[in-house]
Amino acid sequence: MTARGYFVTGTDTGVGKTLVSAALLHAFAARSLRTVGMKPVAAGCEWRDGVAYWDDVEQLRAAANVDAAQALVNPYRFEPAIAPHIAAAQIAVTIRLDVIARACDALQAQADVVIVEGAGGFRVPLNEHQDMADLARRLSLPVILVVGMRLGCINHALLSAEAIHHAGLPLAGWVANRIDPAMAQFDASLATLLQRLNAPLLGVVPWLARMDFSALSTHLLLEKLL
Ligand SMILES: Nc1ncnc2c1ncn2[C@@H]1O[C@H](COP(=O)(O)OP(=O)(O)OP(=O)(O)O)[C@@H](O)[C@H]1O
Ligand SMILES: C[C@H](N)[C@H](N)CCCCCC(=O)O
Ligand SMILES: [Mg+2]
């Protein structure tokens, strides 16, 4: 539990990375640590009264106890909810890892723990040559894998773990997030992942009708983090 931050990835987009990242921020804050969230690349905004909002960025900011500058928390944001390298190319922007790494350094100087949320899964491209795996490696952060528990997640989780290992990064832990309350064979699937993922299970997040990140943080066992 001594890492200066974690890179939160997932088995896919929409599997609960933001939810788990927010819960982690609350859990670390409950241990009297200064926390900040980072969403280096956000794709897909909501418009409210003519103003664009990126929900992940808002949620991470709300869950953190350090109020860091928006440009550090979220160096890159794109309007359409599409793959980031495509969104960037559409407006002639190149996502640069050095820009993100500098912002992360600045956040680390302001907080004890920085929770960096990826976008989509671990091999989502960021520019012509680099992807999320390169970013996690550049930031030198241990990885937390959020497994969205639904049919197909066993394969996605094992492939993600393999890619994290291949990137030379520690898989500090994984979280089973129950995104499909009707999933058949939930217990057997969880048992399979427990047997085959070579990392501690930090918690099982139940299907939640209402979001309560603070209560949710009690489902995460931080002491199991490497
Ligand atoms: N355990 C859960 N119970 C109920 N709803 C959930 C649960 N986990 C996630 N969700 C819902 O699923 C949706 C996707 O979750 P979330 O935004 O955290 O995914 P993500 O992995 O961060 O996606 P992205 O790749 O877009 O960042 C959200 O509407 C969230 O509220
Ligand atoms: C728009 C979405 N919610 C994420 N921000 C980006 C997901 C990119 C997925 C790319 C892919 O793997 O095909
Ligand atoms: Mg998210």
Side-chain angles (χ1 to χ4, degrees):
M1 227 201 79
T2 50
R4 306 226 34 230
Y6 294 91
F7 187 91
V8 177
T9 192
T11 43
D12 202 348
T13 184
V15 295
K17 294 185 301 294
T18 304
L19 179 88
V20 169
S21 299
L24 284 167
L25 288 165
H26 280 286
F28 281 113
R31 292 174 184 229
S32 306
L33 294 172
R34 293 171 304 153
T35 63
V36 72
M38 181 182 199
K39 178 82 184 182
V41 181
C45 69
E46 259 179 47
W47 290 93
R48 287 178 231 145
D49 299 326
V51 180
Y53 290 90
W54 281 263
D55 206 41
D56 288 26
V57 180
E58 298 296 313
Q59 288 192 44
L60 295 181
R61 287 179 73 91
N65 61 16
V66 170
D67 186 21
Q70 180 90 355
L72 299 179
V73 171
N74 175 228
Y76 292 101
R77 68 200 74 94
F78 304 101
E79 280 187 38
I82 58 178
H85 70 298
I86 299 174
Q90 283 179 347
I91 54 170
V93 165
T94 301
I95 296 172
R96 287 175 41 181
L97 302 198
D98 60 328
V99 169
I100 296 173
R102 268 202 302 278
C104 188
D105 282 349
L107 292 176
Q108 282 180 324
Q110 296 173 38
D112 301 306
V113 185
V114 181
I115 300 295
V116 181
E117 185 198 336
F122 197 64
R123 293 304 308 271
V124 164
L126 287 172
N127 56 41
E128 211 177 322
H129 303 291
Q130 294 165 309
D131 62 18
M132 282 292 162
D134 295 307
L135 175 60
R137 202 166 37 210
R138 176 70 189 255
L139 301 179
S140 293
L141 292 175
V143 180
I144 292 175
L145 174 66
V146 178
V147 179
M149 296 298 291
R150 63 178 169 218
L151 191 62
C153 73
I154 296 174
N155 176 56
H156 289 155
L158 298 179
L159 285 174
S160 302
E162 202 173 292
I164 293 161
H165 179 72
H166 183 75
L169 291 169
L171 177 57
W174 62 284
V175 175
N177 185 27
R178 191 145 200 185
I179 51 172
D180 175 8
M183 182 189 186
Q185 296 298 330
F186 175 84
D187 290 343
S189 302
L190 185 67
T192 302
L193 289 169
L194 270 169
Q195 194 184 30
R196 292 172 190 244
L197 280 176
N198 190 20
L201 172 63
L202 304 179
V204 179
V205 177
W207 163 257
L208 302 160
R210 197 182 63 84
M211 292 299 146
D212 180 344
F213 300 127
S214 177
L216 182 55
S217 64
T218 60
H219 291 277
L220 302 178
L221 300 172
L222 295 188
E223 59 276 11
K224 286 201 179 175
L225 280 173
L226 293 177

